[in-house]
Amino acid sequence: MSWVDGQPLGGVSVHDRALAYGDGLFETMRVIAGRPRLFERHLARLQAGCERLGIVIEPRAVSQEILAFSRELDDGVAKLIITRGEGLRGYAPAPGAVPRRILLGSPVPRYPAEHRAGVTLFPCRTRLAEQPALAGLKHLNRLEQVLARSEWSDASYAEGLMQDMSGRVIEGVFSNVFLAKSGRLITPSLERCGVAGVMRAELIERAGQAGIPVAAEDVWLEQLLAADEVFLCNSLYGIWPVTELGAHRWPHGPLTRKLQALISDLSSSA
């Protein structure tokens, strides 16, 4: 199932800048009973990203289009891609380029049920470049993640851990990272690189409402290894506790269990 600019189509122009430069953004949304989950957070991140990249969209029209697509999809995953539109050769955007909207529907990924009790992380060698101008955005330039994901084929690894060029822990290949230490929740700062996930934002808010101290700050590998608990999150699977990274082990601890319960309304159908 695919729509391009609101119409059922299966392709785009070869002149679209997304093909040549990855010039655009995307959102991946879990759709249940025709409704995108965490919809307002997805829209807010999309709009903020478009503003930073200088891509002009009509938020209300985009919102209505996503909702219509989701109703037709009913249950699955909706991926929205916003590109800057078509242009000729050269990096400079063509004056008057019209942004393109692409919606793709797919089945829900079937992750092993045991991931909810603990997963093993692969230590990726590929590092994330530090670029504050793009930090936090879910832009279309994902080659770092492609390289990182190609580092392992062993199915015993559910995810890979990524660091920046300075060695800070940033995120998983397709997840955000949290650690717990002495009852305090910490997630890596994304001021230099990384994707600001919508589930990450939801967890920060719900943890605060539950009285759990939470902060976004620089995290180094030694700090991660010394944590009481570590877990991953994203908008499709919810929370996965991390129980193993190399020779290091963590428990599926009480704070992680509490947070899994706090978002049970979001993750029970993932």
Side-chain angles (χ1 to χ4, degrees):
M1 180 176 171
S2 59
W3 291 4
V4 178
D5 293 334
Q7 300 298 318
L9 291 173
V12 297
S13 167
V14 295
H15 300 293
D16 196 292
R17 289 175 59 87
L19 295 174
Y21 308 117
D23 193 356
L25 301 153
F26 71 102
E27 295 288 331
T28 305
M29 296 163 279
R30 175 70 170 98
V31 176
I32 300 174
R35 177 75 184 182
R37 195 170 55 185
L38 295 173
F39 187 43
E40 297 305 321
R41 290 199 183 278
H42 281 292
L43 285 180
R45 182 174 62 178
L46 176 69
Q47 188 169 356
C50 285
E51 289 173 358
R52 284 174 62 182
L53 293 184
I55 297 175
V56 180
I57 62 171
E58 297 180 15
R60 181 175 175 80
V62 172
S63 172
Q64 291 175 341
E65 190 168 292
I66 297 170
L67 291 174
F69 184 86
S70 298
R71 286 192 294 271
E72 188 166 328
L73 181 63
D74 186 53
D75 187 81
V77 176
K79 181 174 183 177
L80 169 69
I81 301 172
I82 298 287
T83 83
R84 195 179 300 274
E86 295 183 26
L88 301 177
R89 183 179 177 278
Y91 291 124
V98 179
R100 175 163 283 130
R101 308 176 308 281
I102 302 168
L103 276 162
L104 305 171
S106 61
V108 181
R110 298 300 176 185
Y111 300 113
E114 55 266 28
H115 283 7
R116 295 183 182 277
V119 299
T120 299
L121 271 183
F122 181 87
C124 295
R125 297 181 300 275
T126 303
R127 297 292 181 97
L128 293 165
E130 298 171 29
Q131 175 49 274
L134 297 175
L137 301 184
K138 198 156 188 179
H139 54 74
L140 294 176
N141 295 271
R142 295 290 114 197
L143 282 178
E144 292 167 329
Q145 285 74 19
V146 170
L147 290 174
R149 184 59 187 87
S150 69
E151 291 183 29
W152 82 91
S153 57
D154 186 343
S156 65
Y157 295 105
E159 244 286 36
L161 182 68
M162 301 194 72
Q163 299 169 261
D164 66 14
M165 297 302 293
S166 299
R168 299 177 190 86
V169 172
I170 301 298
E171 61 190 4
V173 175
F174 57 93
S175 312
N176 284 120
V177 176
F178 282 81
L179 62 92
K181 184 68 175 178
S182 303
R184 181 170 175 257
L185 197 61
I186 302 167
T187 189
S189 168
L190 302 178
E191 294 181 352
R192 303 173 186 86
C193 56
V195 176
V198 295
M199 184 60 79
R200 174 182 181 268
E202 186 72 11
L203 277 170
I204 290 172
E205 181 175 319
R206 293 197 185 196
Q209 292 171 346
I212 302 170
V214 57
E217 57 189 45
D218 287 348
V219 174
W220 302 90
L221 185 59
E222 295 79 8
Q223 184 181 0
L224 185 80
L225 297 178
D228 300 325
E229 304 171 37
V230 176
F231 66 84
L232 308 169
C233 71
N234 82 7
S235 62
L236 294 186
Y237 65 70
I239 290 176
W240 286 345
V242 176
T243 53
E244 186 174 343
L245 173 64
H248 202 83
R249 305 289 187 275
W250 293 276
H252 180 191
L255 188 53
T256 302
R257 293 176 187 272
K258 181 175 182 177
L259 290 163
Q260 285 178 309
L262 284 176
I263 64 161
S264 61
D265 60 312
L266 298 175
S267 58
S268 59
S269 299

